[in-house]
Amino acid sequence: MFDKQRSTSSTTPTTPPTAPSSTTPTTPPPPTIHEDIYTLPNLLTFSRLVAAPFVGYFLLHDQHAWSLGLFVYAGLTDLLDGWIARRWNKRTVVGTVIDPMADKTLMTIMTVCLAIKGGLPVWVASIILLRDVGLAISAIYYRWISLPEPKTFGRYWDFSLPSAEVRPTTISKYNTALQLLLVGLATANPVLPVDTSSALSILHYVVAATTVWSGASYIYTKDAVKILNQPTKGKTG
C-alpha cells in the first residue's frame, strides 16, 4: 500500500511557482507643440524677405532711389516688429529664426549686387558671404536634429513646429548693425551730395573684423542655440 501511495505521489505533476510579472510602464510621447505664427511681427518680417530681391534688382539696374527706399523700409520694419513683439508679448520661436533670416537674406543680396556694381570690395563681400554660408549650414543642421519625431520633409518646413531657438550673440548684434550701415551707405553713396569714400574705407575693415569675430562667437558661446523639446532623462536607481 505504501508502494502504491509512493508511486501515486511520484507521478503527480508539480507546478513551478509563477514569478511575479514585472511590466515596465511605457511613457507616452510628449504632445506635439504648435504655435501661432501668423502674428503682425512675423508678417512684417516676411515682408522684408519679399522686399529683399527687389532691392537687389534696383541695385543692379542703377535705380538707387528705389533700392534706398526699400532698404529704409526694411530697417524700419525690423525695428517695428521687434517693438511690437516685446510690447504685446508676440514673441514666437519661428520669429527668432525668420527675423535673422530676413536680415541675412537682405544682407546677402545687397552684398552680392554691390560687389557686382563695384560699390563694395570683393574681399569684404567674400568674408560676409562665407560667414553667412556657415551659419546657414548650421541652421539647417540644428533644425533637423531638433525636429520632433517623426522627421519628415514636410514637418521640417512646418515652422509652427518649434524645435530650436537662435539667440544672437552680443557681437553678432553689433556686427549686423555695422553691416547694414556699410551696405546702406554704399547704396546711398551715388545719391549723396558729399563724398563718403573715407568713411566707407574705414567701415570695410571694421565690418571685416566684426564679421569674423561674430562668426566665431557662435562656436564658443554655449547658449547661442537652444534645442527645444529635449527628452528628459529619468532617474535610475
Side-chain angles (χ1 to χ4, degrees), residues 4-177:
K4 186 176 180 181
Q5 289 177 351
R6 206 169 28 245
S7 173
T8 304
S9 62
S10 63
T11 57
T12 301
T14 59
T15 304
T18 305
S21 60
S22 58
T23 304
T24 304
T26 58
T27 304
T32 302
I33 300 175
H34 287 264
E35 65 176 1
D36 180 19
I37 63 174
Y38 300 103
T39 62
L40 181 56
N42 287 347
L43 293 176
L44 290 173
T45 301
F46 183 73
S47 72
R48 298 207 312 274
L49 276 170
V50 175
F54 291 97
V55 176
Y57 173 84
F58 291 136
L59 280 174
L60 293 177
H61 290 80
D62 296 322
Q63 300 185 30
H64 305 292
W66 280 100
S67 59
L68 185 60
L70 281 179
F71 176 77
V72 172
Y73 167 81
L76 291 177
T77 54
D78 192 15
L79 295 174
L80 184 60
D81 62 24
W83 180 77
I84 294 175
R86 292 188 298 269
R87 177 65 177 80
W88 283 281
N89 194 24
K90 293 295 184 179
R91 295 187 181 96
T92 60
V93 175
V94 68
T96 67
V97 176
I98 65 173
D99 185 74
M101 182 190 300
D103 293 337
K104 290 307 164 189
T105 301
L106 178 64
M107 187 68 202
T108 299
I109 291 176
M110 294 186 70
T111 299
V112 172
C113 294
L114 286 170
I116 292 174
K117 299 297 291 184
L120 200 64
V122 175
W123 65 272
V124 177
S126 300
I127 293 175
I128 294 173
L129 295 176
L130 284 175
R131 171 192 175 271
D132 289 347
V133 168
L135 292 180
I137 294 174
S138 300
I140 293 171
Y141 168 75
Y142 280 113
R143 170 64 175 170
W144 179 255
I145 67 171
S146 62
L147 186 68
E149 296 290 346
K151 298 181 187 293
T152 63
F153 186 78
R155 285 168 59 84
Y156 182 91
W157 294 106
D158 183 0
F159 290 112
S160 68
L161 294 171
S163 59
E165 182 179 4
V166 181
R167 297 177 177 178
T169 60
T170 302
I171 182 58
S172 179
K173 294 178 182 179
Y174 287 123
N175 177 67
T176 299

